[in-house]
Every structure is written in structure tokens, then in C-alpha cells.
Amino acid sequence: MKETILAISGKPGLYKLVSRAKNSLIVEALDDTHKRFPAFGTDRITSLGDVAMFTETDDVPLMQVLASMRDLEKGKESSVDFRKATPDELHEYFSKVLPEWDQDRVQNSHIKKLIQWYNILVKAGITDFEEDLAPTEGDNVDDRKELE
């Protein structure tokens, strides 16, 4: 899952990798529209599996942070409204999610983005953040098989 969920710089929300074309990736919005469009090499595309959060010791993979949020929220959307929350509320909430987070390097905007992404994933029915996928065998992402 983590390799197929993408963030595209300059575009709000998260996207699911659907297929690969010759010069682009075909992605589908994880929102209610499920709009598909090509994402090109000039777009800054980041897989959620490649993202980590800063802590006082080692960086923690985003999937672990999302799993911690899921456990805290019992699989439901975040109890904090990222649009209206004060910086103190964001820090208090994030301290419950990731107690050893680096308060100097993690900005309020990072916490807001994390909450937004978490809510998008939960609305899309994606809550298994520990799932690993095998490498693709073919051009279609649906050809992926779970690791055994």
C-alpha cells in the first residue's frame, strides 16, 4: 500500500498509483471524485513509503506514525480539526501520536498535513498502514502480489 499512495507537490490530497504509461504515471485521487490523470516526471511525486517524521533520536517512517494515529483514534478520523486547531492543540495531539517528535524541525504545517493525509486515507478505507507489497510483475499496479 505505502508504495502506491502518492503525494504530488502543488496538488492537494493524496493519489493512488493506478498504472504506468510511457512518460507518466496514471494516478487516481483518493477523494470522492476518484478523478484519474497522468502525473509526469516534472511533477514532484513522493510515495508515502518514502516519508519519515523527525524525532529526537531516529526518523520514524510515516507509516508507523499513521498506524499510531489509527490506534489513538480507534480507526476513525482525527479528533483534531487541522484547519481550526491552535499550535498548542496540534503539539498536544502530536505528542500523543509520537511522544519523541523533534519540536524544532517538525513544523505546525507538517502536523496539519499529516492529519489531513490521515483523514483522507481513513475516508478512502485505507487503515492497514503496515501492509507490504511485493514488487510489481508487469506494468499494472493491480499485478502486485502481497508478500508471503
Side-chain angles (χ1 to χ4, degrees):
M1 186 280 310
K2 58 189 166 194
E3 293 88 2
T4 61
I5 303 298
L6 308 171
I8 302 174
S9 181
K11 298 187 187 311
L14 293 173
Y15 302 88
K16 176 180 161 187
L17 177 61
V18 177
S19 187
R20 296 182 177 115
K22 186 175 182 179
N23 295 323
S24 65
L25 300 174
I26 307 301
V27 297
E28 178 180 303
L30 283 179
D31 60 13
D32 294 335
T33 65
H34 297 289
K35 181 180 174 184
R36 289 186 178 191
F37 61 91
F40 298 96
T42 55
D43 296 321
R44 287 193 15 213
I45 302 169
T46 306
S47 167
L48 293 194
D50 295 335
V51 178
M53 296 297 288
F54 298 117
T55 67
E56 296 294 338
T57 54
D58 292 329
D59 294 348
V60 175
L62 183 66
M63 292 301 142
Q64 277 185 255
V65 179
L66 291 169
S68 178
M69 286 181 75
R70 177 201 58 215
D71 296 343
L72 177 69
E73 299 292 350
K74 298 179 178 45
K76 296 185 172 112
E77 288 185 40
S78 174
S79 56
V80 173
D81 183 351
F82 67 91
R83 290 182 186 99
K84 297 179 182 177
T86 65
D88 289 338
E89 292 170 334
L90 291 172
H91 291 194
E92 181 182 336
Y93 177 76
F94 200 57
S95 292
K96 293 177 190 173
V97 173
L98 189 65
E100 68 278 3
W101 65 286
D102 187 336
Q103 297 189 19
D104 293 329
R105 295 194 293 173
V106 176
Q107 305 298 315
N108 293 335
S109 61
H110 299 149
I111 299 171
K112 288 180 178 185
K113 178 74 69 178
L114 176 70
I115 294 170
Q116 180 184 18
W117 284 357
Y118 172 78
N119 288 340
I120 289 170
L121 292 168
V122 169
K123 282 181 187 174
I126 301 170
T127 57
D128 185 5
F129 303 117
E130 294 89 358
E131 176 188 0
D132 284 325
L133 295 174
T136 55
E137 296 177 11
D139 290 337
N140 196 325
V141 175
D142 294 331
D143 293 338
R144 288 182 180 254
K145 296 179 176 65
E146 289 188 32
L147 292 174
E148 295 171 20

